[in-house]
Amino acid sequence: MISHVYLQELIARTNIEELIGTYTPLKRAGRTYKGLCPFHSEKTPSFVVYPDSQSFYCFGCGVGGDAITFVKKINNLDYVESVKMLASRAGMKLPEEDDAQGTLRSRVLALNRDVARFYFACMNGEVGIAARKYWRGRGLSDATIRRFGLGYAPDSFGESLSYLKKKGYTQEEMLASGIVKKSEKGNLYDVFRNRVMIPIFDVRGNVIAFGGRNLGDEKPKYINSPETLIYKKSHTIFGLNIAKKSTSRRYILCEGYLDVISLHQAGFDTAVAACGTALTPEQVRIISDYADEVVLCYDGDEAGQKATARAMELFSNSTVKVTVLTLPAAKDPDEFIKRRGADAFRHLLDGAGNALEYKMAKVKEQYDITVPDGLLNYLKDCIEILAQQATPTEQDVYAGRLAQETGVEKQRILQQLETVAKNYSKRRQRQIQQDLLKEGINSIRLPLGVSGNQALGAANAEQQLIGALLKQPELLEQVKGNLRPEELILPEMRQTYSLILQRNKEQLSFELATLSGELSDEVMAQLSRVLAQNYEIQFTPGDIQLYLSRIQGAKHQSKEAAKMEPDQLAAYLQKLKQQKKPTDFSGDE
Ligand SMILES: [Zn+2]
């Protein structure tokens, strides 16, 4: 378990609006920050960050929590990993990483650097003739080979192994690096044999893994390092250590290591590739930290096109502008540059179509626009795309282009666009309302056998009370002698209250951000919602008295209200919501 003191320091060093601001742009609104929710797609901001309570809440989709929950959710990490990520962001020593593990990590890093040198030396030695020939055959210069630290793993089961032994690495360190493996009989052997080697660097320039390619056409073409304590595929971008030094913020995202290397050689120093087979949301976020624009440059085959669609989808939730590069008559950028040269590639890059154009071009391929039916369907689909995804300026520009292309008047296209856009926004608003209602029912979910008006009133009072305690911890003095956890009917609030009491007994603080290790994401979201709804309210001892009497009065609930139908419950919740209406962000939609 991570200590309370550690968590408090972490929270003190973490600026939640700054943290979240790197994922979605935030605008200050009074004492809060507002932005588009990074967890659901929306055009009007309903996502709010509350620096006072160090929490966030989305009024659109109900997601909420503290900085740790945010990191957890957005990166799909577990609690400890999220704390570690925040710690390294805050420049703090990692928690509970005992010295043994820290030492192993740095030993494995050193081992990787050493073995990369060994591979480089092998390539330049007698055994490396074929490898050198291979790299030259790919058109790589000596400078490029050096820059990327390319090398060759000799055709042997034990040469890397004995080199590493001589360097003083232990069996544990070698196994942890993924460079050697243990056979069933218990013997160690080299994983990479007779392969040209491509080191994979982290963003700081440490060698963290290798890709090894066959010299010939035998399968498998590539063998990659397994994931280790220093290498996480889904978090690694090949080429980023070099690209980040570029003055350009336009990145070129390609499919393979060799595409990246040959693009760099041709002068495109922002070429990168995602490690692993499919681009991950985490990789998208890492790239977004460095790039303002990303040009997708995948292979022209079906797999490449699928990857393009996936990448566009992932980037659509980021702040990065995405364009798509289509390579005429070449299967990948490497081949294109070899055939047509760097200038032709740059030319292509500057004229790269954006994501909207790409989508519209894809639609066009589906129809025969020389016949009226095809033309109409093409137009309809494009209007649908523009209505949902384009800004008003883009809508105007593309309506003009479509008009030219189809011979339909621009004014008519714009009218149609407006109708579709209106319907679309109505549909979305309805959806949000339904979700909110559903969320309301979920958030006040009465336990089995407890129901009725009074109980709902009490449930609401419980949430308010817990919210008050989180906001104004000094109020606990008034509550703790007068309320036992068992008196609360909502299990989530009971759990939170017990935790608060326990912390108080241990003379520890209980601000939201120190609770996330012991409460589920659902409970954290509920607490954040309560804080969000009350962020402007200063609770008084009178409020507390009222909540206490409501909670305790509910124990004698009336019988006739005990059976409430779901829609009555929904209507009741709506009423509750209106009485205590949270800050309204839907007004401008
Ligand atoms: Zn949301």
Side-chain angles (χ1 to χ4, degrees):
M1 214 177 98
I2 298 165
S3 80
H4 192 78
V5 179
Y6 186 93
L7 283 175
Q8 279 195 310
E9 188 183 347
L10 184 67
I11 294 152
R13 289 211 205 175
T14 301
N15 180 329
I16 191 169
E17 64 270 26
E18 219 175 87
L19 167 76
I20 297 178
T22 59
Y23 294 90
T24 181
L26 296 173
K27 269 211 184 104
R28 182 189 271 279
R31 270 158 44 225
T32 67
Y33 291 82
K34 248 166 78 171
L36 294 174
C37 177
F39 299 103
H40 84 277
S41 111
E42 60 175 6
K43 285 189 174 148
T44 316
S46 42
F47 182 88
V48 189
V49 179
Y50 302 89
D52 290 354
S53 54
Q54 287 285 303
S55 66
F56 68 94
Y57 187 72
C58 172
F59 287 89
C61 69
V63 61
D66 65 337
I68 301 170
T69 356
F70 182 84
V71 170
K72 221 168 114 176
K73 278 189 174 302
I74 203 142
N75 297 317
N76 277 323
L77 299 174
D78 67 23
Y79 179 74
V80 174
E81 286 173 328
S82 306
V83 169
K84 283 185 181 170
M85 192 177 150
L86 280 175
S88 67
R89 204 178 159 275
M92 282 170 70
K93 204 174 152 239
L94 297 183
E96 53 115 66
E97 184 171 65
D98 52 46
D99 283 348
Q101 214 190 352
T103 313
L104 183 60
R105 181 189 295 271
S106 57
R107 286 291 287 166
V108 172
L109 281 172
L111 184 155
N112 273 322
R113 192 187 55 226
D114 279 338
V115 82
R117 285 186 184 143
F118 172 72
Y119 293 148
F120 185 74
C122 289
M123 180 190 63
N124 287 310
E126 223 164 285
V127 292
I129 296 174
R132 289 203 296 280
K133 217 175 122 197
Y134 176 84
W135 289 129
R136 296 252 161 73
R138 300 291 308 216
L140 300 186
S141 69
D142 285 349
T144 301
I145 290 173
R146 248 197 324 277
R147 189 171 196 204
F148 282 89
L150 306 178
Y152 171 68
D155 196 4
S156 145
F157 277 87
E159 272 191 52
S160 313
L161 183 68
S162 66
Y163 169 81
L164 290 172
K165 264 189 198 156
K166 246 182 268 158
K167 281 268 171 188
Y169 292 104
T170 66
Q171 179 169 326
E172 187 202 5
E173 289 159 357
M174 289 190 277
L175 286 170
S177 74
I179 297 292
V180 302
K181 262 192 195 161
K182 198 183 230 168
S183 72
E184 276 172 25
K185 284 184 185 160
N187 301 318
L188 298 185
Y189 65 94
D190 293 355
V191 170
F192 299 101
R193 301 178 303 274
N194 194 23
R195 285 174 181 271
V196 286
M197 299 299 290
I198 304 163
I200 295 162
F201 294 87
D202 68 9
V203 72
R204 286 172 292 275
N206 300 308
V207 180
I208 52 171
F210 290 90
R213 194 199 188 283
N214 230 319
L215 289 166
D217 285 327
E218 303 132 66
K219 306 264 154 154
K221 200 155 93 175
Y222 274 100
I223 292 184
N224 295 304
S225 294
E227 301 224 324
T228 64
L229 80 167
I230 56 168
Y231 177 52
K232 225 178 178 187
K233 266 199 310 243
S234 61
H235 287 53
T236 310
I237 305 289
F238 181 75
L240 188 59
N241 58 313
I242 302 177
K244 71 163 186 184
K245 295 177 191 151
S246 172
T247 50
S248 168
R249 301 266 292 174
R250 179 166 78 174
Y251 278 44
I252 306 166
L253 182 58
C254 0
E255 238 178 279
Y257 307 137
L258 282 168
D259 289 327
V260 172
I261 296 172
S262 78
L263 278 170
H264 276 261
Q265 178 167 287
F268 303 96
D269 62 353
T270 55
V272 293
C275 290
T277 41
L279 187 68
T280 66
E282 175 56 24
Q283 288 165 335
V284 164
R285 276 179 211 107
I286 295 169
I287 295 172
S288 313
D289 279 350
Y290 296 91
D292 294 332
E293 184 186 344
V294 168
V295 181
L296 301 175
C297 192
Y298 287 119
D299 295 357
D301 58 7
E302 206 189 316
Q305 292 312 294
K306 268 196 191 138
T308 304
R310 180 182 161 81
M312 277 197 303
E313 181 72 38
L314 286 173
F315 275 107
S316 71
N317 291 322
S318 78
T319 51
V320 174
K321 182 185 168 208
V322 178
T323 54
V324 181
L325 192 69
T326 319
L327 296 168
K331 71 170 178 8
D332 55 37
D334 184 32
E335 189 185 300
F336 183 88
I337 287 179
K338 279 207 192 79
R339 280 205 201 149
R340 311 267 302 269
D343 279 345
F345 188 79
R346 190 177 305 279
H347 194 72
L348 219 54
L349 208 55
D350 290 336
N354 66 29
L356 278 174
E357 276 177 26
Y358 178 81
K359 278 192 183 154
M360 281 160 49
K362 283 273 142 196
V363 166
K364 199 171 174 181
E365 286 172 10
Q366 289 169 26
Y367 300 112
D368 175 7
I369 65 162
T370 59
V371 300
D373 256 9
L375 190 72
L376 235 79
N377 282 327
Y378 167 58
L379 202 57
K380 216 178 106 226
D381 285 6
C382 286
I383 285 174
E384 192 74 31
I385 292 171
L386 291 175
Q388 291 184 20
Q389 299 165 13
T391 64
T393 324
E394 284 170 336
Q395 288 182 349
D396 193 71
V397 170
Y398 289 106
R401 283 199 204 167
L402 278 174
Q404 270 182 359
E405 195 176 16
T406 60
V408 178
E409 248 178 88
K410 181 178 169 187
Q411 209 44 45
R412 272 191 55 205
I413 296 180
L414 280 173
Q415 273 166 7
Q416 191 121 36
L417 233 165
E418 202 180 329
T419 316
V420 175
K422 260 196 199 134
N423 285 334
Y424 179 67
S425 119
K426 260 193 218 142
R427 269 205 312 273
R428 264 198 56 241
Q429 231 164 350
R430 236 186 337 245
Q431 185 61 46
I432 289 177
Q433 257 158 17
Q434 277 169 4
D435 290 350
L436 264 178
L437 198 60
K438 238 193 283 161
E439 190 228 328
I441 291 172
N442 286 337
S443 63
I444 304 190
R445 193 179 36 228
L446 294 172
L448 222 60
V450 187
S451 56
N453 253 324
Q454 243 183 341
L456 270 170
N460 192 44
E462 289 178 8
Q463 300 197 342
Q464 289 298 104
L465 182 76
I466 301 298
L469 293 178
L470 291 175
K471 261 193 89 162
Q472 294 158 242
E474 71 281 2
L475 291 171
L476 183 63
E477 283 309 307
Q478 189 189 344
V479 179
K480 69 179 181 187
N482 295 315
L483 183 70
R484 286 169 295 116
E486 309 85 81
E487 291 178 89
L488 299 177
I489 49 177
L490 296 177
E492 299 85 357
M493 296 305 127
R494 199 185 306 143
Q495 195 193 352
T496 309
Y497 183 56
S498 303
L499 190 56
I500 288 176
L501 288 179
Q502 187 197 326
R503 289 283 171 88
N504 180 256
K505 212 169 132 196
E506 293 164 13
Q507 297 188 311
L508 298 173
S509 66
F510 50 84
E511 60 267 44
L512 186 70
T514 63
L515 304 181
S516 55
E518 283 165 78
L519 297 174
S520 71
D521 286 358
E522 287 73 32
V523 179
M524 284 301 285
Q526 284 194 32
L527 298 176
S528 307
R529 179 175 48 78
V530 174
L531 285 170
Q533 288 169 344
N534 291 296
Y535 96 98
E536 276 176 318
I537 294 170
Q538 184 70 19
F539 292 98
T540 64
D543 293 330
I544 301 298
Q545 209 42 60
L546 186 73
Y547 299 146
L548 284 174
S549 67
R550 277 210 193 134
I551 292 167
Q552 282 154 347
K555 280 183 287 187
H556 325 283
Q557 48 178 299
S558 66
K559 273 203 167 152
E560 64 266 32
K563 276 185 193 154
M564 225 185 221
E565 291 298 319
D567 50 339
Q568 283 175 296
L569 182 69
Y572 180 80
L573 281 165
Q574 274 305 91
K575 225 170 79 195
L576 271 186
K577 270 186 205 278
Q578 263 140 32
Q579 281 164 3
K580 267 254 175 253
K581 202 159 197 252
T583 324
D584 191 357
F585 294 110
S586 53
D588 50 349
E589 188 158 48

